[in-house]
Amino acid sequence: MSRSVLAAAAAAVSPPHAPAFPMSLGALRTELLSGLTVALALVPEAVAFAFVAGVHPMVGLHAAFMVGLITALIGGRPGMISGATGALAVVMVSLVADHGVEYLFATVILMGLIQIAAGVLRLGKFIRLVPHPVMLGFVNGLAIVIGLAQLEHFRIAGPDGAHHWMAGGTLALMLALTAATMAVIWVMPRITRAVPAPLAGIAVVAALVIGFGIEVPRVGDLASIRGSLPEFGIPSVPVTFGTLRIILPYAVILAAIGLIESLLTLNLVGEITGKRGGASQECVAQGVANTVTGFFGGMGGCAMIGQSMINVTSGGRTRVAAVAAALFLLSFILFAAPLIEQVPVAALVGVMLMVVIGTFAWQSFRVLLRVPRTDAVVIVLVTAVTVATDLATAVVAGVIISALAYAWQNARRIHARVTVGEDGARVYAVEGPLFFGSAAGFAELFAPEADPERVVVDFAQSRVADQSALAAIEALAARYDALGKTLVLRHLSRDCHQLLQRAGQLMEDSADDPDYALAADYTVRGGLFGGH
């Protein structure tokens, strides 16, 4: 590994804004209470997302602890909370079902290595290219995916071992307890915010179920929860190219989803706390966290928008709150496992459905009627693709369509004002960018057969952007040259001049232009791009 790569990695990992110590006792108390609140809210969600992924609840809890602790220590944005998430869990389902949990651990390790590479290469900055319609589609699609995953909890194993939909009294109890959990979560913030509403909902419903001995599925019925420290282990998978072919596609998708969700959360927290930067450092932190977690039997994770908002709104602004949340969560794992086993599944379903309601961007229905048609299509498309495939594919598709729409709109802007110069030359004052989208329209602006012997193309209000633009200029020059006429370029900006000069198309004809500090008129050298 070269020194430059090592230096880049070190720069990415080193925290640029470490909190000043010692902090006041009041600030420390606020940070610790914020961390405790987040930890209490993490427990039900980590277990629920483990169910979504089809793994043991401890796999989710270990991931929430380890990912949360490591990203808290070296992450790019103090105040962010990371852990097991539904966006990753829904992708893991097929991998676990087809190949088993050991392949999941190997995939999480490879996922982390990919994320570290993305951070070292400074790829995090490209998150700024994600337009707002794509973000709306991403949020809506993620909410729908989590909601659909909850339906599986309304299926129970029959005498034949097959899963069937609940019916009769069991279904009624399940629905009633789910609704009760959601009602508590809705009412609790209106009474007090001292206890996280999801935890209150679970506590109330669990107390009803345990106190009255109500027979409904509980966490302990799905899997035995054993509170213990994560144990180091190398995934039990063959070290072959066959294994790599299995885990690499999942690792790439999970790495992309994790980074996208983490960087979107980073931007959101940054807007609230007034801090910027840290994208590449966050990529490295997420990668280190997932690599380590894979070796300790965790399902991996990424930043959690909901928990990050809980932390920030509770007063958590430094790394202390996020570290405290991870350590509090570990204490729950070691000492509160018997209690978690008694939690009714209906309570977890209720929590997740409230997460769905809170995550879905309901204002997008109103937005669809007010934004340009292309943006509305992007919102719907990203939502649908997220549900049908995965988050990474959806975001990439949305960005591509948004970029193409932008290119088309700019392509339609190109036009020219035609005047006659003092020397009798016809001057085409081009307006609008000249690039691959507008190259065809640019060619249609000219009439070589009707033009005089000398034609000037004035680029004072235009820019030459890419190879398609160079080819269009060359083709236009060839048309005039075939008729024995001269085509010259005028008022090239500095960047356009450099692009054309590098391509070897410019032949200087006249004196410097005082406005641009570049030669005013140029003829064009043809035959460089094939003339097609």
Side-chain angles (χ1 to χ4, degrees):
M1 184 177 293
S2 66
R3 292 184 179 179
S4 59
V5 173
L6 290 173
V13 172
S14 58
H17 302 293
F21 286 98
M23 65 170 57
S24 67
L25 290 179
L28 180 60
R29 182 177 65 251
T30 299
E31 295 289 330
L32 293 177
L33 289 178
S34 178
L36 176 60
T37 303
V38 171
L40 293 173
L42 275 172
V43 173
E45 293 200 7
V47 174
F49 290 138
F51 289 148
V52 171
V55 298
H56 194 283
M58 285 305 300
V59 175
L61 290 169
H62 283 163
F65 160 63
M66 299 199 68
V67 173
L69 179 62
I70 294 173
T71 56
L73 291 172
I74 63 174
R77 178 79 75 241
M80 278 180 58
I81 303 296
S82 296
T85 63
L88 299 179
V90 295
V91 178
M92 298 172 179
V93 174
S94 59
L95 175 63
V96 174
D98 295 340
H99 303 284
V101 70
E102 292 295 326
Y103 277 82
L104 172 61
F105 298 151
T107 302
V108 170
I109 294 172
L110 182 57
M111 161 194 174
L113 296 176
I114 294 172
Q115 291 177 326
I116 292 174
V120 171
L121 295 175
R122 306 288 182 180
L123 301 183
K125 60 186 177 182
F126 291 108
I127 194 65
R128 67 188 66 179
L129 297 179
V130 176
H132 190 260
V134 174
M135 295 182 64
L136 283 179
F138 143 72
V139 169
N140 291 346
L142 179 60
I144 294 173
V145 167
I146 296 175
L148 292 176
Q150 305 313 304
L151 298 180
E152 187 61 30
H153 295 303
F154 290 89
R155 295 163 62 91
I156 56 176
D160 57 352
H163 283 74
H164 306 279
W165 292 106
M166 293 179 178
T170 304
L171 177 60
L173 279 174
M174 187 76 170
L175 291 173
L177 293 173
T178 300
T181 304
M182 297 173 69
V184 173
I185 294 174
W186 183 76
V187 171
M188 192 66 184
R190 292 161 175 77
I191 300 175
T192 178
R193 295 184 179 273
V195 178
L199 184 68
I202 292 174
V204 170
V205 173
L208 289 174
V209 170
I210 296 172
F212 291 95
I214 302 174
E215 293 297 326
V216 291
R218 305 184 187 185
V219 171
D221 297 327
L222 300 176
S224 176
I225 295 178
R226 178 173 55 89
S228 63
L229 289 170
E231 297 180 359
F232 177 83
I234 298 175
S236 300
V237 298
V239 185
T240 63
F241 284 107
T243 299
L244 183 62
R245 283 197 298 269
I246 293 173
I247 68 175
L248 181 59
Y250 287 100
V252 171
I253 293 172
L254 290 172
I257 294 173
L259 290 182
I260 290 171
E261 187 163 358
S262 297
L263 294 175
L264 291 177
T265 305
L266 180 137
N267 287 342
L268 183 60
V269 173
E271 291 178 2
I272 297 175
T273 60
K275 296 182 178 179
R276 301 175 59 185
S280 296
Q281 181 180 336
E282 184 64 29
C283 293
V284 173
Q286 293 290 334
V288 172
N290 283 308
T291 301
V292 174
T293 301
F295 283 112
F296 282 86
M299 62 183 284
C302 64
M304 307 178 74
I305 296 178
Q307 270 60 35
S308 296
M309 292 301 100
I310 291 175
N311 185 47
V312 172
T313 56
S314 298
R317 289 293 189 275
T318 71
R319 300 185 188 276
V320 173
V323 171
L327 295 179
F328 278 127
L329 180 59
L330 177 62
S331 68
F332 298 159
I333 294 173
L334 297 177
F335 306 114
L339 180 61
I340 295 176
E341 290 182 357
Q342 298 303 315
V343 174
V345 174
L348 297 177
V349 172
V351 170
M352 297 312 302
L353 291 181
M354 290 301 289
V355 170
V356 169
I357 294 173
T359 301
F360 194 92
W362 299 101
Q363 76 275 15
S364 59
F365 290 113
R366 183 175 65 254
V367 168
L368 288 175
L369 303 177
R370 300 182 178 180
V371 298
R373 186 176 305 174
T374 302
D375 290 341
V377 170
V378 169
I379 294 173
V380 175
L381 177 69
V382 172
T383 301
V385 175
T386 300
V387 174
T389 57
D390 59 78
L391 174 62
T393 302
V395 171
V396 170
V399 170
I400 290 175
I401 292 177
S402 298
L404 290 176
Y406 176 79
W408 173 249
Q409 293 169 0
N410 278 274
R412 297 170 59 187
R413 290 173 50 197
I414 195 162
H415 61 281
R417 293 180 292 103
V418 183
T419 59
V420 178
E422 296 180 357
D423 58 354
R426 180 163 295 176
V427 179
Y428 288 85
V430 180
E431 298 182 4
L434 178 55
F435 66 111
F436 68 90
S438 60
F442 172 78
E444 295 172 359
L445 299 176
F446 301 88
E449 292 80 4
D451 283 340
E453 295 298 317
R454 180 179 171 85
V455 175
V456 178
V457 183
D458 192 334
F459 284 95
Q461 301 299 321
S462 182
R463 292 294 183 272
V464 181
D466 56 17
Q467 189 271 337
S468 296
L470 299 177
I473 292 173
E474 180 183 288
L476 182 65
R479 290 167 61 189
Y480 280 100
D481 185 65
L483 297 173
K485 300 178 181 180
T486 301
L487 178 73
V488 297
L489 311 181
R490 175 177 295 171
H491 286 158
L492 291 171
S493 64
R494 186 172 300 278
D495 55 340
C496 299
H497 173 269
Q498 292 174 348
L499 181 65
L500 287 163
Q501 190 175 51
R502 190 163 54 246
Q505 285 187 306
L506 296 187
M507 296 174 61
E508 187 171 328
D509 276 345
S510 65
D512 288 348
D513 185 330
D515 293 329
Y516 284 77
L518 295 172
D521 294 342
Y522 300 89
T523 55
V524 181
R525 180 184 292 116
L528 298 175
F529 295 98
H532 296 295

